[in-house]
Amino acid sequence: MTLLHEDKDIIVVEKPAGLLTVGTDRDKTRTVHYLLNDFVRKGNPKSRNRVYVVHRLDRDTSGILLFAKNEPAKKFLQENWEHTEKHYLAIVHGQLAAKEGTISTHLVENSAYKVYSTPDPAKGKLSHTAYKVLKETKGLSLVDIELITGRKHQIRVHFAEQGHPVDGDKKYGEGDSGSRRLALHARAITFTHPFSKRKMSFDTGMPVDFVRLFGKM
């Protein structure tokens, strides 16, 4: 992980693809949450210092994660999450007819943990994904995405259902990949600091493997 910022209330890191945000029954230690807890405790398991999860990224998604270092900070950040601006970069299959727009559907998860859109608003949660195509090449498109709502697998489902799955997505796409992993990166975040109330912005730019496919932007 890359540490982007730390103060007494928050930690901002860049997560690599392949690392869980939080633990599962199978994997409790190879996670961002576990590693950051160890970091703030400086290796002392008896330390009362800890980090609090504010939001999550899928295991195979890389990019920015924000953690709180106390309960009040976590509460403030989560309560103001809808005012937090989140931008992703994705490489999707094909070329979109509309080069800019917003995908809006009601998303629901089935018993097999797969998310899909439903026409029944009583069953699903209304979800909005704004996007803009930045570049097109070799049957792929580089897309800037503003995540307006943050549902599970939202970006992956919305683009797959449009016929343009995220490159390397084995769950919702074809799995064919010009990149070696899920080509989805949480590039930038802008939020209000829970105590100083200062506007904070972080932008990691374009991952190296995206640059290989599309060149520098």
Side-chain angles (χ1 to χ4, degrees):
M1 284 184 299
T2 303
L3 182 66
L4 301 177
H5 173 83
E6 182 187 13
D7 60 39
K8 67 184 180 64
D9 302 303
I10 62 170
I11 291 185
V12 186
V13 297
E14 183 180 357
K15 179 185 92 69
L19 191 63
L20 288 164
T21 301
V22 296
T24 64
D25 291 339
R26 289 183 179 179
D27 199 343
K28 291 182 170 66
T29 58
R30 223 183 90 79
T31 73
V32 180
H33 187 227
Y34 181 92
L35 294 170
L36 287 182
N37 270 330
D38 188 58
F39 173 72
V40 299
R41 288 168 179 161
K42 297 180 170 55
N44 178 7
K46 293 182 180 177
S47 169
R48 297 177 70 178
N49 295 331
R50 58 168 294 192
V51 296
Y52 297 80
V53 177
V54 175
H55 65 122
R56 304 180 186 197
L57 291 176
D58 295 341
R59 182 203 290 263
D60 296 323
T61 301
S62 60
I64 296 175
L65 273 171
L66 170 62
F67 287 83
K69 291 173 75 176
N70 52 65
E71 285 276 14
K74 176 191 175 183
K75 187 170 185 285
F76 176 88
L77 291 166
Q78 289 189 330
E79 286 177 351
N80 289 275
W81 196 243
E82 62 184 64
H83 305 298
T84 298
E85 192 175 317
K86 303 166 288 290
H87 279 268
Y88 287 66
L89 282 174
I91 297 172
V92 303
H93 282 269
Q95 298 185 351
L96 286 81
K99 305 306 177 189
E100 194 171 345
T102 301
I103 304 168
S104 298
T105 69
H106 290 83
L107 293 178
V108 64
E109 187 176 3
N110 65 21
S111 58
Y113 306 110
K114 198 162 185 180
V115 179
Y116 63 96
S117 295
T118 173
D120 186 350
K123 288 183 178 176
K125 293 179 179 177
L126 186 57
S127 309
H128 306 288
T129 305
Y131 71 91
K132 182 178 182 180
V133 175
L134 300 177
K135 201 169 183 180
E136 298 171 328
T137 183
K138 302 171 188 171
L140 297 170
S141 297
L142 178 66
V143 186
D144 174 77
I145 296 160
E146 182 180 358
L147 195 61
I148 299 169
T149 55
R151 316 295 183 205
K152 180 180 178 181
H153 297 171
Q154 178 178 316
I155 293 171
R156 297 163 65 183
V157 173
H158 272 171
F159 280 91
E161 290 181 344
Q162 296 290 314
H164 302 285
V166 175
D167 190 39
D169 192 341
K170 294 172 183 172
K171 191 177 184 88
Y172 297 101
E174 298 137 20
D176 297 336
S177 185
S179 50
R180 293 177 182 175
R181 48 103 167 188
L182 179 73
L184 184 60
H185 179 72
R187 191 202 87 212
I189 193 168
T190 300
F191 60 94
T192 301
H193 190 279
F195 292 103
S196 72
K197 300 301 184 277
R198 190 161 58 94
K199 190 76 82 177
M200 302 192 77
S201 292
F202 299 90
D203 192 330
T204 60
M206 214 160 121
V208 175
D209 49 343
F210 284 36
V211 175
R212 281 196 208 104
L213 283 172
F214 284 93
K216 289 184 179 178
M217 300 293 288

